[in-house]
C-alpha cells in the first residue's frame, strides 16, 4: 500500500524530532502501522531553516494553507502552538477532511469542544497524545488502557519547567528567582516562562485529562490555577522536616458533588513515588476502582520524547482512518453524546489538608488564640512545629498541618488569624494531599 501522507505545520524542536524518529524507525513503524508514514509537506514561515532541516525529503512552503489544500495529504500535524492561527488552521484542516495530530494543549483545553465537534461532523480524528506529558502515553492509558475503570482521581507533575525549579529550590536552597534563572540558562524555561510558572500549562493538561477521565467537556475556564512564583524555599524546607515535598500538581477528582479541577503547589508525603520525581521529569498518578493506583513516568517535553507521542498518533490514524468513525476511539474517551455536564466545583468547596506558616510574636497565648480560631470553624490540627524565625528575636515561625477541611472554612479561619495583632506577616498556606 502507498504510504500515508502527512503535512507538518511548523517545524521546530518537535517537528524535527518527528522527522528524525520517523526516518530512523521507518521500517518498524511501517510493520506496525501496516503502511509507511511519510511527511511529504512542511509549512514554516522560516522556509530556509525548514529546508535545511528536511533536505529533499519534503516539499517546504511558507503558507500552511498550501498543505491543507493539497488533496494528497491525509494527516495534518499542527505544531505551531497557541490559540490564534493554530485554531484557524486546525479548523480549516478539519473542514478539508484531514485528520489532525496536535501537541497544542492550550488550543484543546480552551477550544476543544469546538474542535472535536467540527471533527465529528467531518468524520475525522483529532489526536493529541503529545499535548499531555510529552512522551508519556497517558492519553492512551486513560482513554483505552483504563477503559474498564471508574477513575477516581488523577494527580500529575505535568510541567517539567516548574518541577525543575522546585527541585533546584529544594536541593540547593535557591530562591524562586535564582532557580528560574538556572532553568533558563539550561534551556528548561522559555524566555517568557509565564505559562509554566503560573501553572497555566499544567492546567491545560489536567483539563484535558479530566475530560477524558470523567466524560465531561473540556473546560479550562473552570480550573483553579496557582503557580509557584510566590513559593519560598523556607516552606520547602519546613515541609521536608515534616516528611513532605512540595510539588506543583495538577489534580482532578470525582466526588458525588462534582469534579475538582485544580493546579497548585502541594505538599506530598516524601515516601510517595511521585514526590521523588525530580528535575524536568513528569509523572502522572491515576487512582481507579478496578486497577487501583497506577503511575506513569517519563519525559514531558523535548524533541524525540514528544515526537514519540506525535508518531504514536500518526500510527493510530494510519490504522483507523478507513474505519467507520463510530468504531474509532472517541476523542474524549466517552461517546460524544454521553458527555455529562457534571459541575466543576469552586475552590471554596474543595476539601484538602493544609500546611500553614505563621510568623508570630513569641508571647504567651498566641498559639492558644490560633488553635481556638481553627477549632471554631471545625478545623482539626494534625501537627505543629515551632521554629525560631530567621527574621529576628521575639518572632517565631509556627508551622501547622491541618486535617482535611473545605477550603471555604480555611479561608475564613485565615482571615481571622491574619487579623490578630500577634500575627506579624502574611500567613503562608499550601494545600496538602496524602495521595493514598
Ligand atoms: N513547557 C512544558 C514543560 C512542556 O515545562 O513541561 C510543554 O508542555
Amino acid at each position: 500500500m502507498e504510504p500515508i501522507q502527512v503535512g507538518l505545520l511548523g517545524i521546530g524542536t518537535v517537528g524535527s524530532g518527528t522527522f528524525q524518529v520517523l526516518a530512523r524507525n521507518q521500517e518498524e513503524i511501517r510493520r506496525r502501522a501496516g503502511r509507511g508514514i511519510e511527511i511529504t509537506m512542511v509549512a514554516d514561515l522560516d522556509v530556509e531553516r525548514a529546508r535545511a532541516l528536511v533536505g529533499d525529503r519534503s516539499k517546504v512552503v511558507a503558507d500552511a494553507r498550501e498543505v491543507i489544500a493539497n488533496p494528497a495529504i491525509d494527516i495534518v500535524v499542527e505544531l505551531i502552538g497557541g490559540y490564534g492561527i493554530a485554531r484557524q488552521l486546525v479548523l480549516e484542516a478539519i473542514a478539508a477532511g484531514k485528520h489532525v495530530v496536535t501537541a497544542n494543549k492550550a488550543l484543546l483545553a480552551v477550544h476543544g469542544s469546538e474542535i472535536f465537534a467540527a471533527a465529528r461532523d467531518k468524520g475525522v480524528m483529532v489526536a493529541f497524545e503529545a499535548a499531555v506529558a510529552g512522551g508519556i502515553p497517558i492519553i492512551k492509558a486513560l482513554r483505552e488502557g483504563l477503559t474498564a475503570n471508574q477513575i477516581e482521581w488523577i494527580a500529575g507533575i505535568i510541567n517539567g519547567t516548574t518541577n525543575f525549579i522546585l527541585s533546584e529550590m529544594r536541593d540547593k536552597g535557591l530562591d524562586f528567582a535564582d532557580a528560574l534563572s538556572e532553568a533558563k540558562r539550561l534551556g528548561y524555561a522559555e524566555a517568557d516562562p509565564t505559562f509554566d510558572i503560573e501553572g497555566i500549562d499544567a492546567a491545560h493538561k489536567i483539563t484535558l485529562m479530566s475530560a477524558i477521565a470523567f466524560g465531561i467537556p473540556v473546560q479550562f475556564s473552570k480550573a483553579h490555577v496557582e503557580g509557584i512564583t510566590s513559593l519560598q524555599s523556607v516552606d520547602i524546607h519546613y515541609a521536608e522536616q515534616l516528611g513532605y515535598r512540595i510539588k506543583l500538581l495538577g489534580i482532578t477528582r470525582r466526588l458525588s458533588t462534582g469534579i475538582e479541577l485544580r493546579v497548585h503547589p502541594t505538599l506530598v508525603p516524601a515516601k510517595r513515588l511521585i514526590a521523588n520525581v525530580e528535575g524536568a521529569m513528569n509523572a502522572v498518578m491515576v487512582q481507579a476502582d478496578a486497577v487501583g493506583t497506577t503511575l506513569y513516568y517519563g519525559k514531558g517535553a523535548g524533541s524525540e520524547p514528544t515526537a514519540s507521542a506525535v508518531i504514536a498518533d500518526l500510527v493510530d490514524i494510519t490504522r483507523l482512518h478507513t474505519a467507520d468513525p463510530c468504531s474509532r476511539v472517541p476523542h474524549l474517551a466517552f461517546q460524544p453524546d454521553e458527555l455529562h455536564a457534571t459541575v466543576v466545583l469552586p475552590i471554596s468547596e474543595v476539601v484538602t489538608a493544609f500546611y500553614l506558616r505563621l510568623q508570630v510574636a513569641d508571647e504567651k497565648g498566641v498559639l492558644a488564640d490560633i488553635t481556638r480560631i481553627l477549632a471554631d470553624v471545625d478545623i482539626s490540627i494534625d501537627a505543629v512545629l515551632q521554629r525560631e524565625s530567621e527574621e529576628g528575636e521575639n518572632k517565631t515561625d509556627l508551622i501547622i498541618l491541618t486535617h482535611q477541611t473545605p477550603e471555604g472554612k480555611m479561608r475564613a479561619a485565615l482571615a481571622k488569624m491574619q487579623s490578630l495583632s500577634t500575627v506579624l506577616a502574611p500567613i503562608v498556606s499550601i494545600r496538602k494531599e496524602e495521595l493514598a
Side-chain angles (χ1 to χ4, degrees):
M1 205 186 284
E2 287 292 299
I4 201 157
Q5 294 201 29
V6 178
L8 210 61
L9 311 186
I11 182 158
T13 312
V14 178
S16 47
T18 303
F19 252 98
Q20 276 162 25
V21 177
L22 263 183
R24 189 170 70 237
N25 298 340
Q26 60 178 311
E27 180 51 18
E28 293 231 351
I29 290 168
R30 186 197 59 73
R31 286 169 59 209
R32 290 180 174 131
R35 62 193 281 200
I37 297 174
E38 284 181 2
I39 300 173
T40 49
M41 260 186 112
V42 172
D44 199 288
L45 291 176
D46 192 342
V47 173
E48 290 312 311
R49 201 184 114 276
R51 280 215 179 96
L53 282 170
V54 307
D56 55 9
R57 291 175 290 182
S58 303
K59 181 178 179 194
V60 176
V61 295
D63 183 0
R65 292 189 168 96
E66 270 189 59
V67 176
I68 293 170
N70 182 345
I73 296 289
D74 304 291
I75 309 172
V76 168
V77 179
E78 183 273 309
L79 297 172
I80 297 167
Y83 315 103
I85 186 70
R87 173 178 160 270
Q88 264 171 272
L89 292 173
V90 163
L91 288 171
E92 286 175 29
I94 291 169
K98 313 292 184 196
H99 302 288
V100 172
V101 173
T102 178
N104 191 336
K105 62 237 64 171
L107 175 66
L108 294 181
V110 176
H111 299 290
S113 296
E114 177 191 22
I115 288 167
F116 295 132
R120 254 192 333 273
D121 287 348
K122 288 298 286 189
V124 297
M125 287 175 270
V126 174
F128 54 97
E129 184 65 70
V132 181
I136 304 175
I138 188 64
I139 298 298
K140 191 93 170 166
L142 289 170
R143 198 159 56 179
E144 297 170 53
L146 299 178
T147 199
N149 289 261
Q150 290 192 48
I151 293 173
E152 293 161 9
W153 52 260
I154 301 171
I157 295 172
I158 43 181
N159 183 268
T161 306
T162 45
N163 202 51
F164 175 82
I165 291 171
L166 293 177
S167 297
E168 290 288 290
M169 289 174 76
R170 188 179 74 83
D171 281 353
K172 301 184 181 158
L174 299 181
D175 64 19
F176 170 76
D178 289 340
L180 174 61
S181 301
E182 184 66 359
K184 282 187 180 168
R185 193 180 67 78
L186 294 172
Y188 290 122
E190 296 179 30
D192 178 1
T194 309
F195 269 34
D196 293 320
I197 62 178
E198 298 292 357
I200 299 164
D201 175 73
H204 289 145
K205 295 168 182 167
I206 196 70
T207 297
L208 290 170
M209 288 195 280
S210 180
I212 291 170
F214 304 129
I216 58 172
V218 282
Q219 35 199 337
F220 172 71
S221 62
K222 305 268 176 68
H224 176 84
V225 189
E226 288 173 34
I228 62 165
T229 51
S230 55
L231 201 63
Q232 296 175 45
S233 50
V234 65
D235 294 305
I236 292 174
H237 292 114
Y238 282 141
E240 196 148 39
Q241 288 175 31
L242 290 158
Y244 291 85
R245 298 228 171 126
I246 299 182
K247 294 292 182 186
L248 183 71
L249 292 188
I251 298 175
T252 188
R253 190 189 310 265
R254 174 164 42 190
L255 302 171
S256 57
T257 46
I259 307 277
E260 294 179 2
L261 180 57
R262 51 196 167 100
V263 171
H264 49 72
T266 314
L267 270 75
V268 181
K271 63 188 175 199
R272 299 270 177 271
L273 279 175
I274 197 166
N276 294 279
V277 171
E278 298 291 5
M281 300 304 281
N282 279 202
V284 182
M285 203 173 167
V286 182
Q287 181 71 30
D289 69 334
V291 71
T293 310
T294 53
L295 179 68
Y296 309 83
Y297 169 85
K299 289 185 177 159
S303 178
E304 292 206 0
T306 313
S308 164
V310 168
I311 296 167
D313 281 344
L314 291 175
V315 170
D316 262 358
I317 292 175
T318 303
R319 287 178 181 140
L320 287 170
H321 79 294
T322 53
D324 177 338
C326 297
S327 308
R328 298 178 190 144
V329 182
H331 295 121
L332 293 177
F334 290 73
Q335 297 300 333
D337 54 358
E338 293 288 347
L339 297 188
H340 288 167
T342 315
V343 65
V344 175
L345 296 168
I347 194 69
S348 59
E349 288 178 34
V350 166
V351 175
T352 63
F354 279 87
Y355 160 103
L356 307 176
R357 174 168 59 84
L358 300 91
Q359 190 189 85
V360 296
D362 198 0
E363 294 170 10
K364 63 177 180 293
V366 173
L367 185 56
D369 289 343
I370 287 162
T371 55
R372 169 56 45 212
I373 289 172
L374 291 170
D376 282 349
V377 286
D378 285 331
I379 296 175
S380 171
I381 292 172
D382 180 27
V384 178
L385 188 68
Q386 189 170 322
R387 288 283 183 271
E388 198 174 307
S389 173
E390 285 179 358
E391 299 209 5
E393 285 182 17
N394 304 323
K395 291 179 183 174
T396 192
D397 281 346
L398 192 59
I399 295 97
I400 299 175
L401 296 185
T402 73
H403 288 294
Q404 288 199 324
T405 177
E407 181 142 345
K409 285 188 178 186
M410 177 53 82
R411 288 191 180 185
L414 283 170
K416 281 191 188 156
M417 291 189 287
Q418 194 67 71
S419 68
L420 294 173
S421 61
T422 47
V423 172
L424 306 174
I427 300 170
V428 171
S429 68
I430 305 174
R431 299 173 191 88
K432 175 171 92 67
E433 293 282 352
E434 289 300 316
L435 303 183

